[in-house]
């Protein structure tokens, strides 16, 4: 979707503010929502792409006003309500609905440690043919899906060169909407900075994006 | 999955605070429904945790383990050890550049948000910079969770269109003849910059070298200095 989260190339966002001795979590609740997001994800009612999309659909004014972890709170509440793990009334009242059955947590401490150590690979062993190869000129498709996509606006319609093939991965545009994994090749694609931004960019500079087969067409 | 706009605004009202431009807020007609919702995110998250624990959906010990992992066990010191070894072991450096996952696993690191790693090497002629314009993708196993500036709108918006200006803001003036490569983490690949080994570090131990390597140098917004004290981050 052409949301405010897709901010590559935007102006007016202000200076970069560094915090020299920044803690991992600035307040305790940030760590709790970070961890709850993982613990609730273990119910497998949604996937990483759906989780990303749940933040992208926060209305733009709210998205920009919220802190990073405030977005996580908003997104997690939506995911757990929409997936039926809790009701909105339970969230607002802070207590389980009368008669609701207590379940056994999907993620224990042992499993949490294993999850951190092993991760959740998004690559797939599916035997899918690559449509492009290293060195080939390509064009990023000019597409504007209303759903989730990982093709930023600033690259759409632009010409680039396949730098390398990373192999086969889950396709976020379908996976985020529970329409299947549609595994396909992901490539690192080099775009000359001048192709993206014109002559204001240095001639030798470039931006590399990782792109799925479905984002590309031959050039 | 469809999105319930009203739901987000419920949270937005709760997190942003009722005092913020109430009359300009198009959702003001709903505010009366949500006055019981705590406006402080700390209270809201605490209430959410209590609810999820009470329903058996979440185990508090699992939350503690996750917070502990990223507060105390996983951070940029991991990446610094990888870099220091690459500086002092040419065969390791080759493995790191050709198969980063395996080489990083050799050091005992890997896992969540580092399942598919790519290492890009800085030199006198090439400088690499990592960003995630769409969200906050970052190589957790080697750098920990990202700092606020990395996740912020100013960095995400400008790192691709004005990377040299961004670097100047970090105090790094890049010579005009250096090629700058920006890596926008748009898929599941996670990028680690292998910074240049500074001059005057010949003969230093791996541990001493690792102490010079900063988080910022492994994102590409800084160089490593032989004299600079270890970055607390």
């Amino acid at each position: 979707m052409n949301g405010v989260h897709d901010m590559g190339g935007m102006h007016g966002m202000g200076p970069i503010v560094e915090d020299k001795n920044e803690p991992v979590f600035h307040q305790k609740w940030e760590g709790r929502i970070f961890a709850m997001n993982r613990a609730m994800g273990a119910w497998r009612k949604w996937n990483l792409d759906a989780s990303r999309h749940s933040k992208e659909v926060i209305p733009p004014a709210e998205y920009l006003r919220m802190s990073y972890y405030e977005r996580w709170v908003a997104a997690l509440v939506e995911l757990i309500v929409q997936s039926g793990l809790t009701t909105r009334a339970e969230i607002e009242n802070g207590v389980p609905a009368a008669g609701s059955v207590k379940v056994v947590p999907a993620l224990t401490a042992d499993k949490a440690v294993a999850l951190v150590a092993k991760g959740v690979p998004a690559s797939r062993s599916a035997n899918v043919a690559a449509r492009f190869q290293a060195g080939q000129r390509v064009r990023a498709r000019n597409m504007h899906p209303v759903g989730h996509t990982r093709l930023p606006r600033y690259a759409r319609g632009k010409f680039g060169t396949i730098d390398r093939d990373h192999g086969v991965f889950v396709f976020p545009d379908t996976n985020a909407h529970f329409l299947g994994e549609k595994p396909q090749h992901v490539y690192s694609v080099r775009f000359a900075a001048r192709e993206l931004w014109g002559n204001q960019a240095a001639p030798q500079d470039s931006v590399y994006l990782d792109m799925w087969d479905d984002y590309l067409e031959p050039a | 999955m469809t999105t319930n706009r009203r739901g987000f605004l419920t949270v937005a009202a709760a997190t942003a605070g009722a005092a913020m431009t109430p009359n300009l807020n198009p959702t003001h007609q709903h505010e009366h429904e949500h006055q019981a919702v705590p406006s402080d995110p700390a209270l809201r998250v605490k209430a959410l945790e209590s609810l999820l624990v009470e329903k058996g959906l979440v185990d508090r010990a699992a939350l503690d383990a996750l917070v502990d992992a990223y507060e105390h066990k996983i951070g940029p010191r991991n990446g610094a050890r990888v870099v220091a070894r690459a500086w002092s072991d040419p065969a390791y450096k080759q493995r790191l550049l050709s198969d980063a996952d395996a080489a990083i696993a050799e050091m005992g690191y890997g896992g969540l948000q580092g399942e598919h790693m790519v290492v890009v090497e800085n030199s006198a002629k090439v400088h690499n910079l990592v960003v995630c314009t769409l969200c906050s993708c970052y190589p957790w196993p080697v750098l920990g969770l990202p700092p606020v500036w990395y996740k912020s709108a100013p960095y995400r918006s400008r790192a691709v269109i004005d990377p040299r200006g961004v670097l100047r803001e970090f105090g790094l003036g890049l010579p005009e003849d250096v090629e700058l490569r920006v890596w926008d983490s748009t898929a599941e690949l996670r990028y680690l910059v292998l910074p240049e080994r500074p001059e005057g570090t010949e003969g230093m131990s791996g541990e001493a070298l690792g102490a010079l390597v900063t988080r910022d140098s492994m994102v590409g917004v800084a160089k490593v200095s032989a004299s600079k004290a270890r970055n607390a981050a």
Side-chain angles (χ1 to χ4, degrees):
Chain A
M1 64 181 287
N2 291 351
V4 75
H5 69 282
D6 181 5
M7 47 178 74
M10 288 182 75
H11 289 141
M13 295 295 189
I16 296 162
V17 179
E18 279 184 276
D19 177 352
K20 284 292 181 193
N21 291 300
E22 185 174 339
V24 174
F25 300 111
H26 289 68
Q27 295 178 64
K28 186 173 177 232
W29 70 265
E30 295 187 343
R32 302 314 278 182
I33 197 65
F34 169 81
M36 263 189 273
N37 186 64
R38 287 287 156 189
M40 293 305 288
W43 288 99
R44 302 179 67 110
K45 297 284 189 185
W46 57 82
N47 55 56
L48 179 61
D49 298 304
S51 177
R52 288 203 181 109
H53 190 55
S54 68
K55 297 172 187 81
E56 295 166 0
V57 295
I58 296 172
E62 275 79 23
Y63 184 101
L64 291 173
R65 191 170 63 210
M66 289 175 173
S67 75
Y68 179 74
Y69 283 115
E70 281 172 348
R71 283 177 215 142
W72 282 49
V73 178
L76 183 61
V77 165
E78 284 309 302
L79 287 169
I80 62 181
V81 168
Q82 286 168 18
S83 62
L85 290 169
T86 71
T87 64
R88 199 172 299 280
E90 286 178 316
I91 300 276
E92 292 184 8
N93 298 330
V95 289
S100 74
V101 179
K102 187 165 181 172
V103 295
V104 177
L107 191 74
T108 59
D110 286 353
K111 285 182 188 167
V113 170
L115 171 70
V116 168
K118 287 165 112 178
V120 185
S123 56
R124 291 295 179 266
S125 55
N127 187 18
V128 182
R131 289 177 56 224
F132 304 98
Q133 52 189 323
Q136 191 172 348
R137 286 282 288 166
V138 290
R139 186 183 190 202
R141 290 178 61 198
N142 179 17
M143 56 184 239
H144 297 265
V146 294
H148 182 63
T149 188
R150 299 286 292 180
L151 174 55
R153 264 173 290 181
Y154 75 83
R156 295 176 193 169
K158 304 294 185 181
F159 291 89
T161 306
I162 304 280
D163 181 63
R164 69 178 104 167
D165 182 345
H166 288 298
V168 176
F169 287 80
V170 172
F171 185 52
D173 300 38
T174 50
N175 196 44
H177 301 285
F178 310 101
L179 297 172
E181 292 194 339
K182 206 182 178 189
Q184 54 191 273
H185 282 255
V186 170
Y187 313 88
S188 179
V189 185
R190 179 189 184 276
F191 292 89
R194 285 200 164 170
E195 164 70 8
L196 299 173
W197 314 113
N199 287 343
Q200 72 184 70
Q204 74 275 30
D205 291 355
S206 54
V207 181
Y208 288 72
L209 290 92
D210 291 321
M211 295 190 159
W212 280 261
D213 252 324
D214 278 6
Y215 294 169
L216 297 169
E217 56 194 29
Chain B
M1 183 179 286
T2 58
T3 302
N4 182 329
R5 181 180 169 89
R6 180 180 160 271
F8 279 119
L9 296 169
T10 303
V11 176
T15 51
M20 192 170 280
T21 59
N23 296 327
L24 299 176
N25 185 337
T27 66
H28 68 273
Q29 66 269 26
H30 293 308
E31 280 182 0
H32 64 276
E33 295 174 37
H34 309 306
Q35 281 171 354
V37 177
S39 61
D40 180 348
L43 294 178
R44 185 170 175 83
V45 171
K46 197 172 179 182
L48 183 62
E49 181 176 332
S50 297
L51 171 69
L52 299 179
V53 167
E54 216 171 317
K55 284 178 72 73
L57 290 165
V58 155
D59 177 356
R60 278 214 166 95
L63 303 186
D64 295 341
L66 288 164
V67 171
D68 178 61
Y70 291 99
E71 275 194 329
H72 301 121
K73 300 189 172 122
I74 299 167
R77 291 301 101 211
N78 295 0
R81 287 185 197 104
V82 170
V83 168
R85 181 160 174 206
W87 282 347
S88 35
D89 179 346
Y92 180 76
K93 180 176 143 181
Q94 279 314 307
R95 294 200 295 282
L96 185 65
L97 294 173
S98 61
D99 185 354
D101 292 339
I104 289 168
E106 278 182 52
M107 301 289 287
Y109 310 129
L112 218 50
Q113 286 300 301
E115 295 92 344
H116 313 285
M117 289 293 305
V118 176
V119 175
V120 288
E121 184 186 15
N122 283 354
S123 68
K125 292 181 175 163
V126 175
H127 186 88
N128 294 280
L129 177 69
V130 180
V131 64
C132 175
T133 59
L134 296 172
C135 50
S136 53
C137 298
Y138 194 74
W140 294 1
V142 283
L143 295 186
L145 299 183
V148 166
W149 62 258
Y150 183 88
K151 304 179 285 193
S152 72
Y155 184 73
R156 286 165 55 190
S157 59
R158 275 198 285 133
V160 285
I161 191 173
D162 183 25
R164 287 172 183 265
V166 165
L167 292 179
R168 276 195 299 275
E169 220 165 300
F170 278 92
L172 179 58
L174 210 59
E176 266 184 33
D177 60 343
V178 169
E179 177 186 341
L180 176 55
R181 297 176 184 167
V182 180
W183 300 84
D184 190 355
S185 315
T186 50
E188 299 305 330
L189 290 308
R190 295 291 170 268
Y191 291 88
L192 181 75
V193 175
L194 174 58
E196 276 180 281
R197 179 174 179 163
E199 286 179 20
T201 59
E202 299 76 11
M204 279 176 79
S205 71
E207 201 176 328
L209 285 172
L212 297 175
V213 180
T214 62
R215 176 197 67 201
D216 287 3
S217 72
M218 293 181 278
V219 180
V221 295
K223 286 182 178 263
V224 177
S225 159
S227 57
K228 198 151 108 186
R230 173 179 157 168
N231 186 332

